[in-house]
Every structure is written in structure tokens, then in C-alpha cells.
Amino acid sequence: MNPEEAQHKIKLLTEQLNAHNHRYYVLASPSISDFDFDQMLRELEELESLFPEFSSPNSPTKRVGGDITKKFETVIHEYPMLSLSNTYSREEIVEWVGRLEKFGLENLSLVCELKYDGVAVGLRYEKGALVRAVTRGDGEKGEDITSNVRTIRSVSLQLTNDFPEKFEIRGEIFMPIAAFKELNEQRASDGEEPFANPRNTAAGTLKLQDSSLVAKRGLDTFLYGVYQEKGAFHDHMEAIRAAGSWGFKIPPESLGYINVVHDIDGVMDFINYWDQHRYDLPFEIDGIVIKVNAYEDQKRIGFTSKSPRWATAFKFKTQQAESTLLSIDYQVGRTGSITPVANLSPVSLGGTTVRRASLHNEDQILKLDLHISDTVLVEKGGEIIPKIVGVNRVKRSHGAQPIVFIENCPECGAKLLREEGLSNHFCPNASACPPQVAGRLIHFVSRKAMNIEGLGDETINVLVKENMLKFPCDFYTLNRSELLRVDRMAEKSVNKLLAAIDESKNIPFERVLFALGIRHVGETVAKRITQHTGSLAKLMQFTKEELLEIEEIGDKIADSILHFFRDDENKMWIEKLIDVGLQFESKGKDKDSDVLSGLTLVVSGVFDAYSRDEIKELIERNGGKNSGSVSSKTDFLVAGEGMGPAKLKKAKDLGVKILNELEFQKLIGNEK
Ligand code: IVH
């Protein structure tokens, strides 16, 4: 393909992918399959790598992230980002509307909106392209989080029709409850502490340095305000509807997320409806925002120093209720981690009956000083089940017994352990503790691991009970006639399942490594290990020091890996997986060049355009060898920011040539 054809094709694919992305994430009505979308995306990726001169920062391929932001630059807001006055009192809302009438508005027209509980962001567009995304900060100046915001699928990178030449649009970035739950489930299964709530998680996510991690967190957005020099609109609602037509995700009127009302009764109806139904929403809100609709009226009513007088927020009280603590169940997760769950006397909270509440770990039980039969305060948040936030000690009966955390696994009786510095207890009996055996197998076949379709949790539990499955290697010896004998397995589904199992032999090493289910080794860590070691054989020989050299690996993960590979039983079933033919080596990527052939390089510090592991990968792709420490055999030290002074001194003393990132890129002919 010649450059002209490539440029044309890149433009076409970009437009098509943007349109499909918009249909999927903004309008929720996709018109092509995920598979076809991925094919097109891959084609665009390939063309962009062959013709990088035609790749744009707003290309749909950038949705997966990859940019590293070491420092979020400060940006002064063109229009200050004000906050809203707020109240918990309905009377004050009545008074606020009453005061508006004094301004002599001809016809009262108010827009009621949901108050999304996330992070405010200002997005600047020029010629329809997103050029900058900035946090609210102190209202005067915020931080540039453009790279991270680009990965949020519902933020349009390129607008479609009739948009103004230059403008800013503001809205809220939030984490939908489903994404929050999935993230916390993932964290629990990786043996990580759960995040506290969707809002803090969204805020923390937007400040991650690696945008490819942001891309995986499922953030979403609603836009709520258009700002431009000479606006063509008469009122706020008109501007919001127009923003929808340009390609932004705006709150749907059809679902009642936004509504124009003309009197206080209309405002109260909106407030009361959402106070009742807020927990039916797929995201969290903490109140309702009411805005004067007409821009002329807004101007007339004006601002205080901190917030507009033409808008206010009614905040919902966090719903709390008292209940009695009946008992505590201890659940055992896939990696053996123990989660205590409180059983409560049924109590009505936010429209549902609550019977259970999460407690996370022993520390939380101690912090709350929980006793059996305590009267506890439960609160509903974005979590699967509500949480206990306090104890009413006045109501504690005399002689009530404090809760003592269990010492043995409730499933298999093994003595529980608690790793130093961690808050979770875990059951070490991985090979025989039933939920761990089934959990390991369920994880192994899951979509992000070996992606073996046709095996639900139920079927796996049955196969475990029938002694057909115990270790992951057993999937590969399942046979047709045995499977047919198992409940509900028809010929067709058995055939499909066996084909899927066979197909999984092609799954690349990084996912196989993730599938092994090593505590604390999630998807990202597995990827880093793969980049660094290249094969299981190498990984299994690594010492703790060598493991610690891998980016994102600290003591906890290193110990867990060493512990996993020391176990004879683990070694036995992994040996069998090797025999079956799973991928335990990363497919050697094509070499870029031999310019570093025969040279040994040490990489240290933090870089702008690449992560440390990416630099190491580049070294290998260009024929060089990586080493962890500087010695007389070192040819180059690739030095990033913040590298240890001792290493630097040693390199200087030994006369090792020191390269900065740019010099390294020049050396391998890869200026990014
Ligand atoms: S309008 C000048 N509308 O609430 C008025 N804000 O203190 C600008 N928020 O952090 C805000 N939902 O991010 C507006 N529908 C909505 C909102 C909303 C949530 C947040 C906003 C800000 C806070 C206001």
C-alpha cells in the first residue's frame, strides 16, 4: 500500500471506528459485533505502525492507553470551575426557588439533573478534536489528565456534526457500580485489598501514571455544561441536547435523568423520585442539581464568589439503619483469602431488605469493636452488600462477647495464616480446600485467563464432585464419554467444550501465567513478568532479588511467586500442562535490529515515553542483553529520572557510558 492509500484508509477506519464506538458507549446500540470491531481496530493499528506519520493522538487505537504521565501539568482554567451551593433540606430548596422569583423571571424554567458522584472534568475541543482534559483542582487551575481521559470510551475524541470551532464542555467522570464491583472482585481474587467506593476509585484511577491501566477500569461520563465565547444557544437544555448531537454522552431524557420543570412542585417531584430510585441507577449519585435554564436569566442572577446563584444542589442523606448483628460467616475465596460477612436481623434500607453486610477483615472487626448481638449502623453505598459503619454501644447488653476471628478454615479446617503486613487471613490448604480447588479451576478457564467457554461455575463444581477435576491439567484429559455421563452435558455442548479446551493451547504465555492463579499475580503483573522473563522456565529459576527487579513487583508478590513454585503439587500439575502443550514461553517477537548485539545494558530510573520494562524489551528486540547491576561488563547505563545515586556513581567510576532516554532512542533508531 502506498502512503496515499494508507492515509486514506487510516482516515476511513478512524471515522468508522469512532462511529461504532459512539454507538456502543454513548448510544448503547451497537451495530457490529465485538469481533468485527476488533478486526477493524487491528487493521488500523497495523497501518498506523507502518505509517506513523498519519497516526493522530485521538486515534481510536489510543483508547487502550499506553501513555505514561509522570507529572500531571497544571493548567489554568479559561472559565473558573465553580462549585455549587448545597443543602440537605427540602425547605431550603423551596426558599431558593422563591428567591429566584424575585429576579423577575418571566417564565420559570428550571433544569433538574442528577448529581453524579465522581470527578469533575473540563474537556476542550478544537475543530471537533479533544485537545485537553483538566481536573477541577482548586477551581482556578487543575491538572492535565488528557492521556488518561482519552481511554474513557464514552468521551468522544472526534466529534461528528455541527460542533463549534472551539469550546469547552464539562461533566463528571465516574465509575459505574458494575465496573467497581468487577474491579473489587478482581482485586479480591488477586489477594488485594478492595477499594472503598466508586468515587475515590474514579479519582485515584484518573491519577494513575499508566493510561493503559485507566483504560481497563471502565470509567464512564455524563456531560453537564457547555462553555464558549459566543454561544449560539438560548438555554442550558438546548446546549445539552446539541452536545448530544455532536457526539457527547449526555443524560438521557427518556430515562428521566434530566428534566425541565416550571415550578417548585416539578422540582420536588424530581427530588422525591430519585431519592426513592437512586439505588436502581447503574452509577452513584449523591443528590440533584437544579439550574436556571435560560442563559439570559443566569446572567441576571449571577454568582457569589464561589458558586453560581442560578444553580444549587439538593444532597441526599446517606441512608443508614440500625440492625442487630446475629452472626458472622467466613467466606473462602479462590486464593484462600477469608472474608467475614455479617448476618443481620432484616432491616429496610434504601428500598431493599438488608440481611448481610460486609466486614472486609479482622482489623475492621477490631476497629468497630464488634460484639455478638450488637446494635450496628448499616450504610448503603456502591458495594454489593451494605457495610457496617458503627456500633451503638449504649444498646450493648451486659456480658456481650466480643467477636473473635476464627483460627481455622471453615471449609477444610486448616489453620489460617495471616501474612505479615497484610490484613487478610488466608487458608494455606490450596490443594484440598474445596472452594479453593473449584475457585482455581473457575479462574483458570475464565475469559481473561484461558477463555475456555462452556464451563460454568456449576459444571465445574459438579466435575470436582465427580472427581473428574482437581488441578488445571485435568481439563486436558477430560474425555467425551465421561463428560456425556455428567448431568446436563449434551453431545453438542461436550463437542464444543472439548474444542474450546484444545483451542486454549494457543493462549499466549502471559495469560497462561495469569491463569495459574498465583496469589497477587493479576493480569498486569503477569504481563510484566512475561515481558521480563520471557518463559516459565526462566521465571522458576528467578531469585527473590531478580524478581524484585521486575517493575510492579514488591516483597509481597515476590514471596507469593517463590512460595507457589516451591510447592511440589503445583510443580506436578504445571509439569503436566507443559506436556499437554500450553504456551509457557512468549512467542519471540520479531527482532527490530542487531545494533545492540554483544552489548550489555543496565536500565534504571523512570522514563517519559516508555516504562522500564518497555526499554528492556527494546534492548532485547535490538539484540542487546539486560543486566540488573552495573559492573565492569556493562556497556551502557540507560538512566531515567530518580535513579539511585550509588548506581550512577559506580557507572561513572567504571567509565560506563551513560545514556538518557533520548540518546537510547537514537541509538536504536527509535525516536518516539
Ligand atoms: S453543574 C457551576 N451539574 O458537583 C456549576 N455539577 O460542586 C457547575 N456535579 O464537583 C456544576 N453532577 O462535578 C453540575 N449535573 C451536574 C453535576 C455536577 C455532579 C458535581 C460537579 C462538582 C460538584 C459541584
Side-chain angles (χ1 to χ4, degrees):
M1 193 178 286
N2 68 37
E4 214 168 285
E5 286 165 348
Q7 186 174 22
H8 178 71
K9 185 79 191 172
I10 285 177
K11 185 165 175 279
L12 194 73
L13 281 169
T14 300
E15 280 167 10
Q16 288 172 338
L17 283 162
N18 278 339
H20 287 306
N21 197 69
H22 181 254
R23 289 192 67 94
Y24 191 100
Y25 290 101
V26 179
L27 307 176
S29 72
S31 60
I32 59 167
S33 69
D34 288 359
F35 179 80
D36 289 340
F37 185 91
D38 287 345
Q39 291 285 93
M40 284 166 73
L41 194 67
R42 215 155 291 150
E43 193 180 349
L44 178 59
E45 244 163 26
E46 249 173 64
L47 279 173
E48 284 180 344
S49 74
L50 288 171
F51 299 92
E53 64 273 32
F54 303 132
S55 132
S56 105
N58 280 338
S59 161
T61 57
K62 298 291 188 297
R63 296 284 195 193
V64 294
D67 289 350
I68 306 286
T69 313
K70 267 200 309 177
K71 185 172 178 298
F72 295 96
E73 296 299 334
T74 303
V75 178
I76 299 184
H77 294 299
E78 198 156 322
Y79 310 91
M81 267 178 113
L82 300 175
S83 63
L84 286 172
S85 59
N86 66 66
T87 175
Y88 288 91
S89 135
R90 282 174 166 75
E91 286 74 54
E92 285 188 17
I93 295 294
V94 175
E95 287 167 19
W96 180 77
V97 174
R99 277 201 298 282
L100 289 181
E101 279 158 5
K102 287 208 201 99
F103 284 95
L105 313 184
E106 265 178 31
N107 297 306
L108 190 64
S109 173
L110 299 172
V111 182
C112 296
E113 295 176 20
L114 303 179
K115 189 168 185 307
Y116 319 105
D117 201 5
V119 180
V121 68
L123 310 173
R124 277 209 78 78
Y125 285 79
E126 287 176 15
K127 294 196 175 74
L130 172 70
V131 290
R132 193 130 80 173
V134 184
T135 61
R136 176 167 181 273
D138 61 6
E140 297 272 325
K141 48 191 180 336
E143 287 175 315
D144 185 332
I145 51 166
T146 316
S147 291
N148 286 347
V149 169
R150 278 207 179 98
T151 68
I152 302 172
R153 308 302 202 271
S154 57
V155 170
S156 295
L157 300 180
Q158 179 64 52
L159 305 175
T160 37
N161 1 317
D162 273 352
F163 45 81
E165 171 80 8
K166 269 188 189 179
F167 69 99
E168 177 163 341
I169 188 160
R170 291 183 179 165
E172 198 86 349
I173 293 175
F174 55 87
M175 181 167 283
I177 294 170
F180 177 71
K181 282 182 189 166
E182 194 187 325
L183 179 62
N184 264 355
E185 276 161 22
Q186 187 59 55
R187 287 180 69 79
S189 81
D190 292 346
E192 308 287 344
E193 291 277 305
F195 287 126
N197 60 54
R199 180 166 50 93
N200 293 355
T201 314
T205 300
L206 286 171
K207 297 300 292 290
L208 288 173
Q209 296 198 334
D210 182 349
S211 64
S212 66
L213 298 179
V214 184
K216 291 189 192 139
R217 292 270 178 97
L219 293 178
D220 203 347
T221 170
F222 275 126
L223 281 316
Y224 56 61
V226 178
Y227 296 74
Q228 52 182 332
E229 274 290 291
K230 280 196 249 20
F233 305 111
H234 164 263
D235 61 45
H236 172 61
M237 196 62 215
E238 200 188 335
I240 291 295
R241 286 185 186 131
S245 75
W246 303 334
F248 288 107
K249 182 159 176 178
I250 55 161
E253 293 176 59
S254 59
L255 296 179
Y257 289 8
I258 185 167
N259 199 13
V260 181
V261 301
H262 298 284
D263 52 28
I264 183 65
D265 290 346
V267 174
M268 283 305 157
D269 284 350
F270 193 87
I271 289 180
N272 293 336
Y273 179 83
W274 286 112
D275 198 5
Q276 280 290 313
H277 293 89
R278 54 191 285 212
Y279 293 114
D280 302 338
L281 287 166
F283 48 84
E284 293 205 323
I285 58 170
D286 60 342
I288 295 300
V289 181
I290 311 144
K291 301 172 182 172
V292 168
N293 196 5
Y295 287 145
E296 267 302 312
D297 291 339
Q298 290 186 4
K299 229 199 238 157
R300 196 134 40 98
I301 298 168
F303 298 83
T304 69
S305 61
K306 277 189 269 154
S307 54
R309 277 202 189 86
W310 48 262
T312 196
F314 173 79
K315 299 245 284 185
F316 296 131
K317 290 198 189 80
T318 315
Q319 301 218 19
Q320 291 185 331
E322 276 193 355
S323 174
T324 309
L325 175 64
L326 303 175
S327 62
I328 293 192
D329 285 343
Y330 295 87
Q331 294 174 342
V332 186
R334 160 177 80 78
T335 56
S337 74
I338 308 287
T339 312
V341 178
N343 292 310
L344 307 169
S345 57
V347 58
S348 168
L349 182 62
T352 51
T353 305
V354 171
R355 291 188 171 81
R356 285 159 79 73
S358 60
L359 279 165
H360 296 317
N361 52 45
E362 184 185 25
D363 289 349
Q364 213 197 343
I365 294 175
L366 294 173
K367 204 162 98 193
L368 288 164
D369 182 31
L370 272 187
H371 285 52
I372 219 62
S373 301
D374 264 351
T375 301
V376 293
L377 198 60
V378 259
E379 188 177 292
K380 208 163 164 147
E383 315 222 6
I384 307 169
I385 54 174
K387 53 185 172 224
I388 296 184
V389 292
V391 174
N392 187 340
R393 283 181 207 203
V394 180
K395 292 195 185 166
R396 181 173 289 162
S397 51
H398 223 64
Q401 290 301 305
I403 304 278
V404 179
F405 207 85
I406 50 166
E407 290 187 0
N408 294 82
C409 175
E411 298 281 346
C412 71
K415 182 136 181 71
L416 298 182
L417 299 178
R418 183 174 166 170
E419 285 167 84
E420 214 178 301
L422 296 186
S423 41
N424 273 58
H425 283 73
F426 77 99
C427 164
N429 184 18
S431 64
C433 179
Q436 293 193 62
V437 171
R440 177 172 57 209
L441 298 165
I442 291 167
H443 168 75
F444 185 82
V445 300
S446 64
R447 197 169 50 83
K448 289 177 176 170
M450 302 304 282
N451 192 25
I452 299 176
E453 273 184 49
L455 271 175
D457 298 4
E458 260 321 295
T459 314
I460 290 189
N461 284 327
V462 172
L463 295 176
V464 171
K465 271 208 194 96
E466 301 276 328
N467 286 327
M468 290 163 71
L469 280 181
K470 181 166 183 187
F471 301 113
C473 57
D474 300 335
F475 286 115
Y476 299 88
T477 50
L478 284 176
N479 77 47
R480 182 182 308 270
S481 52
E482 271 184 329
L483 278 171
L484 281 170
R485 261 186 275 125
V486 178
D487 235 11
R488 281 181 300 175
M489 289 283 242
E491 173 104 32
K492 212 167 149 197
S493 38
V494 168
N495 287 345
K496 258 180 133 171
L497 172 59
L498 289 172
I501 292 174
D502 206 44
E503 186 63 26
S504 74
K505 293 178 185 167
N506 298 321
I507 294 281
F509 173 44
E510 65 184 51
R511 280 173 57 189
V512 179
L513 181 60
F514 169 61
L516 298 184
I518 306 172
R519 269 167 76 77
H520 309 307
V521 177
E523 261 183 293
T524 314
V525 171
K527 202 174 192 164
R528 293 272 185 256
I529 296 176
T530 309
Q531 282 168 352
H532 196 97
T533 64
S535 72
L536 184 81
K538 233 172 156 184
L539 171 64
M540 287 175 76
Q541 285 167 2
F542 264 36
T543 61
K544 181 158 178 184
E545 288 65 39
E546 286 171 316
L547 285 171
L548 289 173
E549 270 179 26
I550 304 176
E551 219 167 314
E552 291 194 41
I553 294 200
D555 267 335
K556 181 178 79 175
I557 303 179
D559 287 341
S560 168
I561 294 170
L562 292 171
H563 179 262
F564 184 87
F565 290 118
R566 242 182 257 133
D567 185 289
D568 286 336
E569 209 164 52
N570 288 343
K571 281 197 263 193
M572 174 281 292
W573 59 261
I574 288 174
E575 217 34 70
K576 288 192 178 162
L577 287 177
I578 296 173
D579 291 345
V580 167
L582 297 204
Q583 306 293 320
F584 281 105
E585 240 174 75
S586 23
K587 283 248 160 40
K589 290 193 187 123
D590 294 339
K591 263 200 174 166
D592 290 343
S593 80
D594 275 321
V595 286
L596 303 179
S597 171
L599 300 174
T600 301
L601 292 88
V602 174
V603 184
S604 188
V606 180
F607 300 88
D608 265 327
Y610 300 100
S611 74
R612 201 155 52 230
D613 277 332
E614 281 172 336
I615 301 244
K616 288 182 182 170
E617 199 184 328
L618 281 172
I619 292 176
E620 283 181 13
R621 290 175 67 111
N622 287 282
K625 215 178 117 206
N626 282 297
S627 164
S629 53
V630 176
S631 73
S632 57
K633 292 195 190 105
T634 311
D635 295 291
F636 290 105
L637 170 67
V638 189
E641 215 169 273
M643 71 166 293
K647 215 175 226 177
L648 201 60
K649 182 172 181 308
K650 190 165 179 196
K652 280 183 182 156
D653 291 348
L654 289 169
V656 172
K657 190 156 171 30
I658 299 165
L659 300 175
N660 65 23
E661 186 174 8
L662 209 65
E663 289 164 334
F664 169 73
Q665 284 171 270
K666 278 191 185 144
L667 182 68
I668 58 166
N670 194 7
E671 282 145 84
K672 205 174 178 178

